[in-house]
């Protein structure tokens, strides 16, 4: 059942990146004491321009590969699928295990395409010139990275169309295709809408209302004798998709804090380039507050069962953690780099709580 998939989430929000970050900072401080002042200034300027902020410019290949892989970010593949499947289970009590895991693999492949092609096109514009963990910079080949991205998308689509054949619900393949199109126009020429500051709205639409609802529709069933049993669009899945979209968008928004100088240099007008980190930190606060206000509103309107409200409310300390961290460190590139990973933890834990509440409410454990 969907809880089996939720159990994978802690693996995607591990603290592997954080301890190394602290060790790198200590090593950087020790090395800085042994360097001439001119070299220190040069290193600081380099760090401020990319994701390696706070490091001494000599990251190990293993660390670069870890950052390039962005494994924690793959929670954005797991959470919409698990919440959408939990909504279907809550509504009709059915769960298709094989379909779920095929869709999980397909979703991971699509996110791989998104990450790889993003590195390719940011390389084209020069946005990733000083980003050492860019896959293009690590591999040394734009063509090879683009090829790997396209292969990932192809195999991802194969999995999606297999699930469509099983479900027989055209709304699923239409919605998930629209979500992928959002990813394309976000980064790919000639659109590159992220350079116009439209990345966050596209992210919200793609991973929230489109993807989460699509995975809900993927649980429709095709029967030879009775035809296809289509799931109705319910207020529960709409409410759930909005919450998933909001937590996903927080990840993207916070990933830009330490990239402002580099983005501005190549004309990438992200929201943080336009408004600055101080106002941006306040928007993060507003976003987290909005998340829990919407949760309460959906609970009171019976759009979500009370089990969801109770379990999701338990993630409030994580939400406060994100807010406090961003407010305190929004001007420090060596620390604000970690903000997106804290948002990933909020995203994964909130998604776990939301899906678990839907399952428990269906089983009568909580109503």
């Amino acid at each position: 059942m969907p809880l089996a998939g939720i159990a994978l989430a802690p693996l995607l929000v591990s603290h592997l990146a954080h301890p190394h970050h602290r060790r790198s900072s200590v090593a950087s401080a020790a090395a800085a004491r042994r360097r001439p002042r001119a070299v220190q200034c040069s290193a600081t300027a380099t760090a401020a321009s990319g994701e390696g902020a706070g490091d001494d410019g000599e990251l190990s290949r293993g660390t670069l590969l870890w950052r390039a892989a962005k494994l924690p970010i793959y929670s954005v593949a797991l959470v919409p699928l698990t919440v959408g499947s939990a909504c279907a289970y809550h509504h009709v009590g059915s769960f298709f295990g094989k379909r779920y895991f095929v869709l999980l693999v397909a979703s991971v492949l699509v996110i791989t395409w998104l990450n790889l092609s993003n590195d390719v096109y940011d390389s084209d514009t020069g946005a990733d010139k000083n980003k050492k963990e860019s896959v293009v910079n690590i591999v040394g080949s734009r063509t090879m990275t683009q090829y790997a991205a396209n292969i990932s998308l192809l195999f991802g689509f194969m999995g999606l169309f297999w699930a469509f054949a099983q479900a027989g619900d055209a709304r699923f393949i239409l919605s998930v295709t629209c979500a992928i199109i959002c990813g394309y126009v976000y980064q790919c020429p000639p659109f590159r809408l992220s350079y116009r500051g439209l990345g966050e709205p596209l992210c919200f639409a793609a991973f929230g209302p489109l993807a989460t609802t699509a995975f809900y529709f993927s649980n429709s069933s095709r029967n030879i004798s009775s035809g296809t049993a289509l799931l109705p669009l319910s207020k529960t899945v709409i409410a759930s998709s909005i919450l998933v979209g909001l937590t996903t968008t927080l990840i993207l928004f916070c990933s830009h804090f330490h990239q402002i100088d580099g983005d501005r240099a190549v004309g990438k007008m992200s929201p943080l380039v336009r408004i600055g980190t101080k106002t941006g930190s306040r928007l993060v606060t507003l976003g987290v507050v909005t998340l829990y206000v919407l949760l309460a509103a959906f609970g009171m309107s019976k759009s979500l069962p009370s089990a969801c409200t109770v379990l999701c409310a338990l993630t409030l300390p994580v939400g406060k953690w994100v807010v406090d961290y961003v407010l305190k460190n929004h001007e420090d590139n060596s620390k604000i780099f970690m903000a997106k990973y804290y948002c990933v933890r909020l995203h994964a834990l909130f998604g776990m709580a939301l899906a678990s509440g839907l399952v428990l409410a269906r089983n009568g454990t909580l109503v």
Side-chain angles (χ1 to χ4, degrees):
M1 116 113 283
L3 282 176
I6 297 175
L8 298 173
L11 298 178
L12 298 173
V13 291
S14 69
H15 293 260
L16 290 176
H18 199 143
H20 180 87
H21 179 78
R22 291 196 297 268
R23 291 195 297 270
S24 296
S25 298
V26 173
S28 177
R33 288 193 293 269
R34 298 191 297 268
R35 295 176 183 167
R37 180 174 179 80
V39 176
Q40 292 181 42
C41 294
S42 176
T44 302
T46 301
S49 65
E51 282 200 15
D55 296 311
D56 63 359
E58 298 177 356
L59 292 174
S60 68
R61 187 169 181 81
T63 300
L64 291 176
L65 290 174
W66 164 259
R67 290 186 176 182
K70 302 175 183 175
L71 293 183
I73 303 299
Y74 283 84
S75 64
V76 301
L78 176 70
V79 171
L81 171 61
T82 303
V83 172
S85 299
C87 285
Y89 179 80
H90 175 73
H91 185 73
V92 295
S94 62
F95 174 70
F96 302 96
K98 181 179 179 180
R99 197 180 304 176
Y100 174 90
F101 286 106
V102 169
L103 283 172
L104 179 59
V105 173
S107 299
V108 167
L109 288 169
V110 171
I111 300 300
T112 300
W113 160 76
L114 192 66
N115 287 335
L116 292 177
S117 58
N118 184 64
D119 280 2
V120 167
Y121 295 118
D122 276 350
S123 175
D124 289 345
T125 62
D128 282 356
K129 181 180 179 180
N130 296 316
K131 185 178 177 182
K132 295 182 179 181
E133 63 271 30
S134 165
V135 176
V136 175
N137 292 339
I138 292 174
V139 175
S141 172
R142 177 199 184 280
T143 302
M144 185 180 297
T145 307
Q146 179 74 81
Y147 181 75
N150 292 339
I151 290 296
S152 294
L153 182 61
L154 175 63
F155 280 103
F157 260 119
M158 289 174 61
L160 294 174
F161 275 102
W162 177 87
F164 166 58
Q166 296 295 307
D169 192 337
R171 296 172 300 173
F172 160 65
I173 199 64
L174 178 62
S175 296
V176 79
T177 300
C178 287
I180 293 173
I181 290 173
C182 284
Y184 184 88
V185 299
Y186 166 83
Q187 62 191 353
C188 300
F191 306 100
R192 288 196 174 106
L193 297 185
S194 63
Y195 282 69
R196 303 179 186 180
L198 298 176
E200 280 73 11
L202 287 170
C203 177
F204 174 83
F207 290 97
L210 290 174
T212 304
T213 304
F215 291 131
Y216 166 76
F217 290 142
S218 73
N219 287 273
S220 294
S221 59
R222 173 176 285 173
N223 187 291
I224 297 178
S225 60
S226 60
T228 301
L230 301 181
L231 291 173
L233 182 61
S234 67
K235 61 182 182 180
T236 299
V237 72
I238 293 174
S240 298
S241 69
I242 290 172
L243 297 176
V244 171
L246 186 52
T247 57
T248 311
T249 304
L250 280 170
I251 298 174
L252 178 62
F253 186 82
C254 286
S255 72
H256 292 150
F257 271 100
H258 65 287
Q259 297 178 331
I260 290 178
D261 292 340
D263 287 347
R264 183 183 291 114
V266 297
K268 186 175 182 179
M269 302 304 293
S270 70
L272 282 168
V273 170
R274 298 175 186 272
I275 65 178
T277 62
K278 184 174 183 180
T279 302
S281 66
R282 293 171 179 170
L283 276 182
V284 171
T285 302
L286 178 62
V288 173
V289 170
T290 300
L291 175 68
Y292 290 100
V293 169
L294 285 175
L295 173 66
F298 291 147
M300 289 187 290
S301 66
K302 303 300 182 182
S303 296
L304 291 176
S306 58
C308 293
T309 306
V310 172
L311 293 180
C312 289
L314 296 178
T315 67
L316 266 167
V318 184
K320 184 178 185 300
W321 183 28
V322 170
V323 169
D324 291 345
Y325 189 85
V326 173
L327 287 175
K328 180 179 179 181
N329 301 297
H330 65 89
E331 293 182 331
D332 187 343
N333 277 0
S334 67
K335 294 182 178 179
I336 199 62
F337 168 77
M338 291 300 299
K340 65 181 178 182
Y341 292 111
Y342 296 159
C343 288
V344 167
R345 291 163 191 166
L346 174 61
H347 172 68
L349 292 171
F350 195 95
M352 289 169 59
L354 183 58
S356 298
L358 291 165
V359 172
L360 292 174
R362 171 71 189 188
N363 291 334
T365 306
L366 292 171
V367 294

